Amino acid sequence: MAAAEVDVLVVGGGVVGAGAALDAATRGLSVALVEARDWASGTSSRSSKLIHGGLRYLEMLDFKLVSEALRERALLLQRIAPHLVRPVSFLYPLTRRIWERPYAGVGMLLYDTMGMTSALPRGVPAHRHMTKRTALTEAPALKPSALVGAIRYWDAQVDDARFTFALVRTAASYGALCASRARVSSFVRKEGRVVGAVVQDVETGRERTVRARTVVNATGVWTDEMQQHADASGSLRVRASKGVHLLVPRSRIAMSSGLILRTEKSVLFVIPWGEEHWLVGTTDTDWTYDKEHPAVSSGDIDYLLEHVNSVLASPLTRGDILGVYAGLRPLVSGEAEQTAKLSREHVVARLQPGLVAVAGGKFTTYRVMAKDVIDAAVSGLPHSVPASSTKEVPLAGAEGYHSLVWRKAVLAKRYGLSPEWVQRLADRYGTLATEVLDLIAANRALGAPLRGAPGYLGGEIVYAATHEGALHLDDVLTRRTHIFMETEDRGLAAAEEAAPLVAAPLGWDHARVDEEIYRYRSRVEAEREAGRQPDDRRADAARIRAPGFGGPQPARTG
């Protein structure tokens, strides 16, 4: 990156920043993308993992936002990332007789209609009305008193972290230079214009100057802090809203579809996650503490359990919770007192000559946000730039995905795995699953599931380090896989197996392996302690005691 001036420097390796890098690279521009921590380590790995128009925005009459999001949903399902985005159904329980069914039915019909475009069908089935008896047959977990009928409708689900990695890898395939653990420490100016940034390699401490014709700030909830680096504070204000999710076993809630419930503040989802889990979320509260590591408090857990248990015949308990996580939504500030009332529409602002920022929005519309901010960024370049083409660009692993799935029995026989395992790998990696299978072919031991996380193969752990940019054990267990949230021990047993597997490709000695395990274990213990605290302040204090999160650092060896 430091060798020659680039056209665009994108700061922020979440879904919007990665999308902006891909948008610029596919226009033929030279691009650098830097992320201070791991790819998708902020909001983009801690979302509700939904690709949706947003029913509550439809009720708020925000037709533009909903229509835009539904068009993007169709693109993602059918063209951009069919291996990572798939349809998911939800039950909407009706609780009022006579008036609610026609009221909600009109809304659902409008939702379905807005999801269709002239270029693509909506990609999901139409909604369907259900009687109370039919709804309870499909969802026997619900209390009979919790509904008088229901409507089933469809949206889509995404593995948010893996989607972001696919964006980064696709951008790199078009020539973008991408570096994680690369933190912008200051901006470089010349004659009143931002012309680059000083970027620190977080792993070594070394700094380099990256020169750029234009710089994009796509740092989400860190937008204000990045503006301060540029002496442009106050140009764009972003508030962080905390969203908490719980993971519980699929066996604890007997339903064939997900569930959406109204709450006094927003909505609550029960979302299918894989074959064995449900995600329950989310909260929507202001967060004013450490943005890198938002903590889940006991109060957050109680809130979610109280609301989901209001409709369950067999209430969930804390003992049912396998995992928890919290993410921060970047909301463009307004006059609203509650974050749930702030807009999810995005804003693009020119902070200074040579520096453009994008903020707000939602995961579903990342591509539109990326297009808009690159349009603004290139308007000041001395040469003409083509229009965005990313609606036609499949992500890495997308092309040929369906063909690979149809060949799963053949591949299973060739690599000594079951067809179910090949399907699982295809759903995580698309056609890049063959790269994981090649690792297994070279070392058959990698074809065995981890004892501490039997939903993942050893080959996936190695692949995280060799192909997906993982530099630490936490990167592997939290974002390349979801072992941290999917296992009852938060991945502690799997950590003992995973660290030696990535040691060779990452050049770790025995001392470094021990350090990585220690840091991961400390993180798990800190998050468990945070979950026992009654409020955000004390949960945050407990969370940051772990090494690497504000607590004491072990001596670095090896």
Side-chain angles (χ1 to χ4, degrees), residues 256-482:
S256 60
S257 295
L259 186 69
I260 179 173
L261 303 171
R262 289 177 180 270
T263 70
E264 67 277 10
K265 295 180 180 179
S266 181
V267 294
L268 183 137
F269 286 99
V270 180
I271 308 164
W273 180 250
E275 301 169 358
E276 300 177 356
H277 304 100
W278 295 104
L279 280 173
V280 180
T282 180
T283 60
D284 201 341
T285 57
D286 215 17
W287 177 261
T288 58
Y289 300 98
D290 177 42
K291 292 179 179 178
E292 290 196 7
H293 311 290
V296 178
S297 71
S298 179
D300 295 324
I301 295 171
D302 289 342
Y303 172 87
L304 291 175
L305 289 178
E306 176 188 351
H307 282 80
V308 74
N309 284 340
S310 69
V311 300
L312 295 181
S314 176
L316 297 175
T317 69
R318 284 176 174 260
D320 294 315
I321 299 171
L322 296 178
V324 299
Y325 66 90
L328 300 179
R329 306 176 192 88
L331 304 180
V332 178
S333 288
E335 297 300 320
E337 289 299 318
Q338 296 178 332
T339 59
K341 295 181 180 179
L342 294 179
S343 173
R344 295 303 299 273
E345 291 191 51
H346 65 274
V347 174
V348 174
R350 187 173 300 280
L351 304 180
Q352 289 184 349
L355 178 62
V356 178
V358 59
K362 51 192 283 187
F363 197 106
T364 304
T365 56
Y366 83 90
R367 194 194 65 81
V368 179
M369 297 172 66
K371 169 188 172 298
D372 289 350
V373 75
I374 295 301
D375 282 345
V378 302
S379 64
L381 295 183
H383 54 85
S384 63
V385 176
S388 174
S389 63
T390 50
K391 66 180 180 181
E392 307 291 342
V393 179
L395 298 192
E399 288 194 275
Y401 162 70
H402 295 295
S403 296
L404 185 143
V405 170
W406 295 332
R407 294 167 47 231
K408 64 184 177 184
V410 174
L411 293 171
K413 185 175 181 180
R414 181 186 303 169
Y415 290 98
L417 297 174
S418 69
E420 292 75 18
W421 264 114
V422 176
Q423 178 73 60
R424 188 175 291 182
L425 293 175
D427 289 343
R428 291 172 182 165
Y429 305 93
T431 53
L432 299 181
T434 56
E435 296 178 347
V436 181
L437 292 170
D438 287 342
L439 289 175
I440 293 170
N443 181 356
R444 290 292 179 179
L446 297 179
L450 299 181
R451 293 184 301 277
Y456 295 89
L457 302 178
E460 296 182 82
I461 303 302
V462 174
Y463 187 79
T466 58
H467 289 70
E468 295 187 323
L471 297 177
H472 293 277
L473 185 59
D474 182 64
D475 301 346
V476 177
L477 300 182
T478 304
R479 287 171 290 279
R480 304 312 183 280
T481 69
H482 299 292

Side-chain angles (χ1 to χ4, degrees), residues 68-82:
E68 181 179 75
L70 290 174
R71 288 195 301 270
E72 292 302 305
R73 185 189 70 180
L75 280 171
L76 291 166
L77 277 166
Q78 298 168 85
R79 184 180 297 164
I80 294 176

